[in-house]
Amino acid sequence: MITRLLHKEEPFIYDLLLLADETLEAINKYITDSEIYGAEIDHKLVGIYALYELNKDEIEIKNIAVLEDFQGKGIGTFLLKDAIEKSKQKRYKTIIIGTAETSTYQLKLYQQIGFQIFGIKKDFFLENYTEPIFENGILLKDMIMLKMEL
Ligand code: ACO
């Protein structure tokens, strides 16, 4: 499997982005300035990630998603490793990813790959979304931030 840089007008991109982020409004805050990479199986887009430059040294994975039917097959791990490799090639020093405090599976996955928690964005979900978001029955408030030195 390989990834390719996607054009933002390609179909199905938003279907995937919306798996990882609740609203188009939130996605539109970072998507214009992001590079989106996708992985395909039999010409079907099954996974995606968005890389967003924070500054010349730091880059953030703002969105990563795998189609539901294809989850749990290693594609998410592959995409994370691909994002790390591409960020290294682009000579960034640090790669960052954030997720909700309730997202235990995502937190496990990111730490398994080598990301380490370095901070919390307090009230991120309360301040950046107009409607309350519940995950695993819990109101989302804070974003857990993880990073990896490249
Ligand atoms: N429950 C618990 N563990 C699981 C599940 C599950 N449903 N699915 C996979 N796993 C485990 C796997 O067993 C594996 O662990 P292991 O190596 O110890 O066996 C690990 O999680 C990684 O599995 P992958 O198959 O590589 O990951 P996947 O292809 O499912 O992709 C992803 C992970 C991207 C989080 C995917 O599940 C997804 O799209 N979820 C919905 C969107 C989302 O939450 N995105 C992240 C939001 S944060 C952000 O975007 C920055």
Side-chain angles (χ1 to χ4, degrees):
M1 185 180 278
I2 52 157
T3 56
R4 70 175 174 88
L5 187 61
L6 302 176
H7 299 289
K8 287 171 189 140
E9 304 73 33
E10 287 187 44
F12 310 121
I13 288 182
Y14 277 84
D15 296 343
L16 276 146
L17 293 171
L18 280 164
L19 293 175
D21 210 330
E22 284 294 312
T23 64
L24 282 175
E25 192 191 0
I27 291 168
N28 285 335
K29 284 184 188 166
Y30 54 77
I31 213 61
T32 315
D33 294 326
S34 296
E35 282 188 344
I36 311 172
Y37 291 90
E40 290 161 331
I41 294 177
D42 296 335
H43 305 293
K44 181 184 173 75
L45 188 63
V46 296
I48 202 169
Y49 65 84
L51 280 180
Y52 178 90
E53 182 185 85
L54 297 170
N55 55 58
K56 75 175 182 42
D57 291 333
E58 296 179 313
I59 194 158
E60 180 169 344
I61 303 174
K62 284 283 189 186
N63 189 306
I64 178 161
V66 173
L67 276 187
E68 272 169 22
D69 286 354
F70 292 84
Q71 289 176 10
K73 301 177 195 295
I75 298 171
T77 303
F78 167 79
L79 291 176
L80 283 166
K81 289 185 175 165
D82 192 77
I84 292 163
E85 201 43 51
K86 288 213 165 42
S87 302
K88 267 187 200 166
Q89 285 166 10
K90 291 170 189 280
R91 309 222 177 263
Y92 289 97
K93 294 186 178 139
T94 308
I95 185 165
I96 290 171
I97 192 163
T99 193
E101 78 246 73
T102 49
S103 302
T104 44
Y105 155 50
Q106 288 83 347
L107 282 168
K108 171 185 164 256
L109 170 59
Y110 303 155
Q111 290 177 91
Q112 249 176 355
I113 299 230
F115 285 88
Q116 287 187 314
I117 294 173
F118 72 95
I120 295 175
K121 283 189 183 167
K122 286 295 281 179
D123 294 335
F124 177 87
F125 292 98
L126 300 179
E127 288 168 1
N128 284 278
Y129 296 83
T130 46
E131 299 292 322
I133 306 168
F134 288 87
E135 192 178 85
N136 301 330
I138 300 168
L139 174 67
L140 295 197
K141 292 183 190 155
D142 306 332
M143 167 120 65
I144 309 289
M145 302 305 298
L146 303 97
K147 70 176 177 182
M148 184 191 293
E149 302 307 332
L150 299 171

